[in-house]
Amino acid sequence: MGSVLSYIWGWQQEEEEEEEEDGPWSLQHLREKCHQTADGLIELDLQSCDLTSVPPAVFRLEQVHVLKLSRNKLTHLGAGICSLRQLSVLHVEHNRLGSLPAELADCPHLAELHAGWNSLSGLPARFRRMANLKVLSLYSNDFKTVPDSVPLMSCLEYADFEHNSLKGLPMSMSRSGVKVLKLGMNQFQQVPVVVTTMASLEQLDMSSNVVSSIPDLIGSMTQMKSLNFSRNCIQSLPQSICELPSIEELNFLQNKIAKLPPGISRL
């Protein structure tokens, strides 16, 4: 495996001589920490390393596909992240990030961004240019609204905003191609009408909110496979919920529903 990675890095003697930094976060040390996954991706795992900043040498590992920086003490990532031109998966959960660098939008292959358990309240406008991002996980942050850039992420399929402070969704979400939308543990009092216009939506999780009713338009969601409204304040279900043609799972546990609509048993 070492010989394979050496070939990928294209190690050269003169490059090693240029390196100034020594110690645990030197370029050579970080290269040694890289490994190749079963899928052939180069991964660098720096989780739980007590980092307060990203070691500068990380940004010289231009062939890294998967970078794991979770469970550190990072307050920023730095603009140098755009040097990782092959980066496809980034994990920065459980840090102290108050923002993400706009330069992440310049990582052309970034497909998954996992940034839960931080202090984020917004995203850079440039994130709308993330043409290949499929997974956006932002649970347990400080979002009060869904950033304007999210509906414009053309390949986004999975969006996780659980455990934030959302009360509604922008109407621009109707343009989103998201298939899985996680909105549990927020402050929703009603189901945003815009979700019924999201043509690609297959899974909607709004558990642990204070939703009191389900709109009749729910029955128009032809691709919907899974609805989770457990732990809300719902007292009744509309008859239209029985008309969902693709539904596979309904979860309304811990609500106040006294009577189910006729025909629901046929689902």
Side-chain angles (χ1 to χ4, degrees):
M1 183 62 70
S3 61
V4 173
L5 288 178
S6 295
Y7 174 76
I8 294 173
W9 297 129
W11 286 359
Q12 297 178 354
Q13 182 64 36
E14 58 266 29
E15 183 180 330
E16 297 299 331
E17 292 175 355
E18 291 177 2
E19 185 182 347
E20 297 179 358
E21 184 179 1
D22 196 8
W25 309 124
S26 67
L27 183 59
Q28 181 177 351
H29 176 77
L30 291 173
R31 281 173 168 168
E32 292 171 353
K33 288 181 71 67
C34 289
H35 70 276
Q36 203 162 16
T37 68
D39 297 328
L41 301 178
I42 301 174
E43 178 180 298
L44 176 59
D45 189 343
L46 296 179
Q47 297 181 109
S48 303
C49 290
D50 208 32
L51 297 174
T52 56
S53 63
V54 181
V58 168
F59 302 137
R60 297 175 63 185
L61 301 174
E62 298 178 4
Q63 300 302 316
V64 164
H65 299 106
V66 181
L67 179 58
K68 296 182 176 180
L69 294 167
S70 303
R71 298 184 182 279
N72 281 291
K73 299 176 182 177
L74 301 176
T75 57
H76 66 282
L77 292 181
I81 195 77
C82 66
S83 299
L84 304 180
R85 304 296 292 175
Q86 301 303 317
L87 187 66
S88 59
V89 180
L90 177 62
H91 286 272
V92 290
E93 304 100 315
H94 291 273
N95 276 286
R96 301 172 182 177
L97 299 172
S99 64
L100 295 173
E103 289 78 7
L104 266 176
D106 298 326
C107 295
H109 301 292
L110 189 63
E112 297 185 21
L113 175 56
H114 302 267
W117 284 103
N118 279 284
S119 300
L120 304 172
S121 58
L123 296 177
R126 281 169 60 183
F127 274 29
R128 68 185 62 194
R129 293 171 15 197
M130 288 182 159
N132 292 307
L133 193 70
K134 294 183 178 180
V135 175
L136 180 63
S137 181
L138 297 171
Y139 64 87
S140 296
N141 275 285
D142 297 327
F143 288 94
K144 291 181 172 57
T145 60
V146 171
D148 293 338
S149 56
V150 173
L152 300 175
M153 296 174 180
S154 56
C155 286
L156 191 65
E157 297 181 353
Y158 180 101
D160 186 350
F161 281 91
E162 284 195 339
H163 201 195
N164 278 278
S165 300
L166 301 179
K167 296 181 179 180
L169 295 179
M171 290 304 296
S172 56
M173 285 297 290
S174 62
R175 292 178 284 176
S176 174
V178 165
K179 295 181 179 180
V180 179
L181 183 58
K182 300 179 74 66
L183 301 172
M185 292 181 283
N186 276 281
Q187 299 176 16
F188 289 96
Q189 296 182 18
Q190 58 186 6
V191 179
V193 174
V194 68
V195 300
T196 65
T197 67
M198 295 173 65
S200 300
L201 196 59
E202 297 179 0
Q203 297 181 38
L204 175 62
D205 186 342
M206 293 192 67
S207 58
S208 298
N209 280 281
V210 285
V211 174
S212 59
S213 63
I214 304 294
D216 287 335
L217 287 172
I218 202 83
S220 65
M221 304 177 75
T222 58
Q223 302 300 314
M224 184 57 63
K225 296 180 180 179
S226 175
L227 285 173
N228 185 355
F229 283 92
S230 60
R231 297 181 297 279
N232 276 279
C233 305
I234 300 168
Q235 298 183 23
S236 63
L237 299 178
Q239 180 62 37
S240 62
I241 205 167
C242 303
E243 300 168 7
L244 292 167
S246 304
I247 199 69
E248 297 174 358
E249 179 184 10
L250 289 173
N251 188 345
F252 289 95
L253 293 174
Q254 297 185 41
N255 277 279
K256 302 176 180 179
I257 301 172
K259 184 178 180 182
L260 297 176
I264 200 168
S265 61
R266 294 195 298 270
L267 292 176

